[in-house]
C-alpha cells in the first residue's frame, strides 16, 4: 500500500500506552499494519496510514485505543449531511 | 435446491448443505450482472451453516457474509478442503461494508453460532473470521457471548488454504490490504452503472437547456449543442469513474477531487477542441468547467471504494472539493445558457 497514501496528520487514532496490556489484537486486525508490540506494549509505527476503520479499538480488551470510526466514503458522508438538513433517517444504500 | 449445493452432510443437528467449490455458469452470470449493478442489493445466500468436502467435528469453521459474491469467493478457494462455512446474515452486504454498518457484528456472530448449534457439530471452540470483519466484531466479546474463540484469518479468501495449512496462522502479506490494478478495475463498472437514473436526467436536462436561444427554443440547437454537452458529460464520467481509479497512484495529489479535476480538465479541453468549429469562447469554457466538475465529483466519490481513505480525510477533502465542484458546474451552466445570446 506504499503507493497509496492518503491525507497526513488527520486520523483520530489515539493509543493509551498505560492501559495497553500488549495482547497484540490491534496489530493482528489492522489492515494497514500500523501497530507493533514492543516490550509488551503496542506502538503506532505508521500513524498516517490509519484509515480509521476502528478494528483495533473494537478488539482492544482494555479500551486502550480510541478512534472515531466511520466510512471513508464521500457519497455516504453526503447522505449524512443531507439527513441532518432534512431530518430524515440515513438510508445506507451506499455499499 | 440452490444450484451451488451439491449434497448434504449428516450432523447431530441435521443435514448441512455441502456447496460446490467450482463455479457454475449461473454463478458466473450472477457475478457479471452484480458487477454492473443489476440486482446488486438482492444477491444473497440464506444465512446458516454450510460445508465443503467431507467435514468432521475437528474441521475448521470459516465465517463469512451472505452476499453471494462474498460467499462464492470463499467457497471457490476451498477445493479439496474439508471445512464448515458459517454464513452470517449481513443482509446481502460484503464483510467489510457489513462490519462498518454493524451487520457483521459481535451480536451477529454470537447469534449465528448459537442458531446453527455449532457447539453440537464441532468438537473445538474456534471460529475463523475474515480479518476485515474485525471492524464490526469484538473478539473478546464473542468469546464471552458464545464460548467460541474468534481467530482472525486472512483478508483475502484466496489465502485461506495457506492459512489453514499453516495451522491457522497468517503471514504479514495476508494481513495487509492491497489495491492492485485488478482490484480497481472490477470496481469501475458499478461506479458507472449506478449513475443510471441521475445520468439520464442530467443528459435530458442538458439537451433541453441547449435548445434555448434568441429564437426562444430551437430543436436543431438542442440537438447540436446538446450533443456537445452530452459528450462533455460522458467524458467527465469516464475520467472521474474510470481514469482516476485506473491511474490512482500515478496521478498527483493525495486527495481525490483534484485528481478528478485534472483528468476532467484535460478531457474537457479535448472536448472543447473537437467541437470548437461550432462553439465560441463561452461554450468552450462551459464544456471544460462542466467536464472538470463532474470528473472531480465522481473521483471524490471513489473514496468509498478504496481500502485506505479515512473518514476524517474524506470529510476534509469534501469541504474543499464540493464548493469548487458546485461553483464550476454553476459557472458552466450560466456560460452555456448565455452563450447563444452573445453571438
Amino acid at each position: 500500500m506504499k503507493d497509496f497514501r492518503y491525507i497526513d496528520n488527520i486520523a483520530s487514532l489515539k493509543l493509551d500506552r498505560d492501559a495497553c496490556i500488549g495482547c497484540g489484537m490491534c496489530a493482528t486486525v489492522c489492515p494497514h499494519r500500523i501497530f507493533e508490540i514492543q516490550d509488551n506494549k503496542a506502538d503506532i509505527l505508521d500513524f498516517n496510514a490509519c484509515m480509521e476503520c476502528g478494528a483495533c479499538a473494537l478488539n482492544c480488551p482494555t479500551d486502550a485505543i480510541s478512534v472515531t470510526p466511520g466510512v471513508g466514503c464521500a457519497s455516504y458522508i453526503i447522505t449524512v449531511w443531507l439527513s441532518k438538513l432534512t431530518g430524515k433517517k440515513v438510508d445506507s444504500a451506499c455499499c | 435446491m440452490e444450484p451451488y449445493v451439491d449434497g448434504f452432510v449428516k450432523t447431530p443437528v441435521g443435514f448441512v448443505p455441502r456447496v460446490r467449490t467450482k463455479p457454475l455458469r449461473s454463478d458466473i452470470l450472477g457475478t457479471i450482472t452484480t458487477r454492473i449493478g443489476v440486482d446488486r442489493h438482492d444477491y444473497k445466500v440464506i444465512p446458516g451453516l454450510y460445508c465443503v468436502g467431507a467435514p468432521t467435528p475437528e474441521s475448521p469453521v470459516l465465517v463469512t457474509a451472505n452476499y453471494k459474491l462474498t460467499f462464492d469467493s470463499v467457497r471457490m478457494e476451498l477445493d479439496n478442503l474439508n471445512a464448515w462455512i458459517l454464513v452470517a446474515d449481513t443482509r446481502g452486504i460484503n464483510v467489510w461494508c457489513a462490519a462498518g454498518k454493524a451487520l457483521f457484528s459481535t451480536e451477529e456472530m454470537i447469534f449465528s453460532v448459537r442458531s446453527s448449534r455449532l457447539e453440537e457439530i464441532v468438537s473445538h471452540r474456534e471460529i475463523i473470521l475474515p480479518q476485515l470483519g474485525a471492524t464490526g466484531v469484538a473478539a473478546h466479546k464473542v468469546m464471552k457471548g458464545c464460548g467460541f474463540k474468534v481467530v482472525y484469518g486472512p483478508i483475502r479468501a484466496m489465502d485461506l488454504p495457506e492459512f489453514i495449512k499453516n495451522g491457522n496462522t497468517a503471514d504479514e502479506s495476508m494481513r495487509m490490504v492491497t489495491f492492485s490494478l485488478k482490484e480497481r478495475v472490477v470496481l469501475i463498472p458499478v461506479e458507472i452503472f449506478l449513475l443510471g437514473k441521475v445520468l439520464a436526467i442530467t443528459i435530458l436536462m442538458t439537451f433541453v437547456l441547449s435548445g434555448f436561444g434568441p429564437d426562444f427554443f430551437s430543436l436543431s440547437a438542442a440537438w447540436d449543442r446538446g450533443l456537445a454537452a452530452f459528450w462533455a458529460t460522458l467524458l467527465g464520467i469516464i475520467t472521474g469513474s474510470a481514469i482516476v481509479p485506473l491511474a490512482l497512484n500515478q496521478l498527483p495529489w493525495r486527495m481525490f477531487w483534484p485528481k478528478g479535476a485534472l483528468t476532467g480538465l484535460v478531457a474537457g479541453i479535448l472536448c472543447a477542441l473537437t467541437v470548437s468549429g461550432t462553439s465560441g469562447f463561452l461554450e468552450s469554457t462551459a464544456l471544460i468547467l462542466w467536464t472538470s466538475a463532474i470528473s472531480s465529483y465522481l473521483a471524490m466519490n471513489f473514496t468509498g471504494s478504496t481500502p485506505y481513505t479515512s473518514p476524517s480525510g474524506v470529510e476534509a477533502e469534501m469541504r474543499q472539493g464540493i464548493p469548487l465542484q458546485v461553483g464550476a458546474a454553476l459557472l458552466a451552466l450560466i456560460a452555456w445558457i448565455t452563450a447563444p445570446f452573445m453571438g
Side-chain angles (χ1 to χ4, degrees):
Chain A
M1 288 304 288
K2 61 183 193 308
D3 294 345
F4 299 97
R5 303 288 300 190
Y6 202 42
I7 307 164
D8 286 342
N9 304 320
I10 202 160
S12 54
L13 177 70
K14 285 190 187 70
L15 167 67
D16 175 1
R17 276 175 61 91
D18 293 333
C20 175
I21 52 166
C23 73
M25 275 309 266
C26 52
T28 300
V29 297
C30 176
H32 288 281
R33 320 310 295 148
I34 75 171
F35 294 97
E36 194 182 60
I37 308 297
Q38 280 176 339
D39 306 324
N40 269 324
K41 293 279 177 192
D43 237 341
I44 297 174
L45 293 183
D46 188 0
F47 178 84
N48 289 325
C50 177
M51 61 171 294
E52 301 177 316
C53 72
C56 54
L58 191 61
N59 281 278
C60 177
T62 58
D63 295 326
I65 303 175
S66 77
V67 59
T68 311
V71 189
C73 168
S75 56
Y76 180 75
I77 295 175
I78 290 175
T79 320
V80 173
W81 284 352
L82 287 178
S83 75
K84 276 180 193 159
L85 283 177
T86 59
K88 268 192 210 155
K89 235 185 114 211
V90 178
D91 168 34
S92 59
C94 187
C95 62
Chain B
M1 198 165 80
E2 297 290 352
Y4 49 80
V5 173
D6 72 348
F8 291 88
V9 168
K10 202 177 172 197
T11 73
V13 302
F15 289 96
V16 171
R18 186 181 64 209
V19 296
R20 295 173 202 276
T21 53
K22 292 268 189 283
L24 295 174
R25 201 187 301 174
S26 55
D27 297 318
I28 297 167
L29 199 70
T31 300
I32 294 170
T33 52
T34 309
R35 284 289 184 197
I36 60 172
V38 182
D39 261 354
R40 185 165 159 268
H41 290 291
D42 193 27
Y43 196 52
K44 300 174 191 166
V45 176
I46 297 170
L49 194 65
Y50 295 81
C51 66
V52 287
T56 63
E58 286 77 42
S59 298
V61 180
L62 308 169
V63 185
T64 191
N66 82 323
Y67 184 30
K68 187 159 179 289
L69 276 192
T70 306
F71 177 69
D72 283 0
S73 71
V74 172
R75 67 188 169 98
M76 301 306 177
E77 301 295 340
L78 304 178
D79 214 17
N80 299 320
L81 281 174
N82 304 319
W84 304 100
I85 305 176
L86 184 57
V87 177
D89 185 2
T90 60
R91 324 268 168 87
I93 294 172
N94 70 70
V95 171
W96 201 349
C97 288
K101 294 180 198 308
L103 293 171
F104 193 92
S105 63
T106 305
E107 293 70 31
E108 179 58 30
M109 295 306 114
I110 296 169
F111 178 81
S112 298
V113 164
R114 284 197 183 143
S115 62
S116 63
R117 295 165 69 184
L118 201 58
E119 77 281 358
E120 296 173 55
I121 297 169
V122 296
S123 53
H124 59 80
R125 291 291 174 265
E126 245 180 42
I127 48 175
I128 299 171
L129 264 62
Q131 187 189 325
L132 293 185
T135 299
V137 177
H140 53 287
K141 290 183 182 159
V142 173
M143 179 76 181
K144 231 180 254 170
C146 67
F148 273 75
K149 184 189 172 200
V150 168
V151 175
Y152 286 112
I155 286 179
R156 287 164 292 271
M158 56 174 275
D159 291 326
L160 273 171
E162 182 82 8
F163 174 84
I164 294 169
K165 206 180 84 192
N166 296 343
N168 294 355
T169 41
D171 59 41
E172 276 297 296
S173 69
M174 294 184 195
R175 295 225 173 276
M176 176 95 165
V177 283
T178 52
F179 206 33
S180 64
L181 185 63
K182 195 184 149 205
E183 285 169 304
R184 282 174 278 146
V185 166
V186 296
L187 299 173
I188 294 171
V190 94
E191 293 281 325
I192 293 175
F193 280 92
L194 283 187
L195 294 173
K197 212 164 105 188
V198 179
L199 181 60
I201 296 168
T202 310
I203 288 173
L204 194 71
M205 289 287 290
T206 52
F207 273 103
V208 172
L209 282 176
S210 299
F212 289 104
D215 321 318
F216 184 60
F217 193 84
S218 147
L219 265 184
S220 73
W223 179 248
D224 291 340
R225 298 179 73 232
L227 214 54
F230 169 77
W231 284 116
T233 308
L234 202 67
L235 279 172
I237 292 169
I238 291 169
T239 54
S241 293
I243 304 292
V244 168
L246 287 176
L248 195 60
N249 48 341
Q250 271 88 43
L251 289 165
W253 306 297
R254 290 193 179 178
M255 291 193 179
F256 284 52
W257 74 261
K259 290 177 195 274
L262 175 69
T263 54
L265 185 72
V266 173
I269 291 171
L270 288 177
C271 182
L273 287 176
T274 330
V275 296
S276 63
T278 53
S279 64
F281 171 75
L282 263 183
E283 280 173 324
S284 298
T285 311
L287 291 177
I288 293 169
L289 284 173
W290 182 242
T291 310
S292 308
I294 289 184
S295 179
S296 175
Y297 177 76
L298 293 176
M300 195 182 73
N301 264 347
F302 189 67
T303 51
S305 304
T306 77
Y308 72 101
T309 52
S310 61
S312 296
V314 174
E315 203 164 326
E317 83 159 90
M318 287 169 73
R319 289 183 197 282
Q320 274 187 26
I322 290 180
L324 292 167
Q325 290 153 5
V326 172
L330 279 177
L331 277 178
L333 208 62
I334 293 166
W336 194 250
I337 293 169
T338 52
F341 300 94
M342 301 293 173

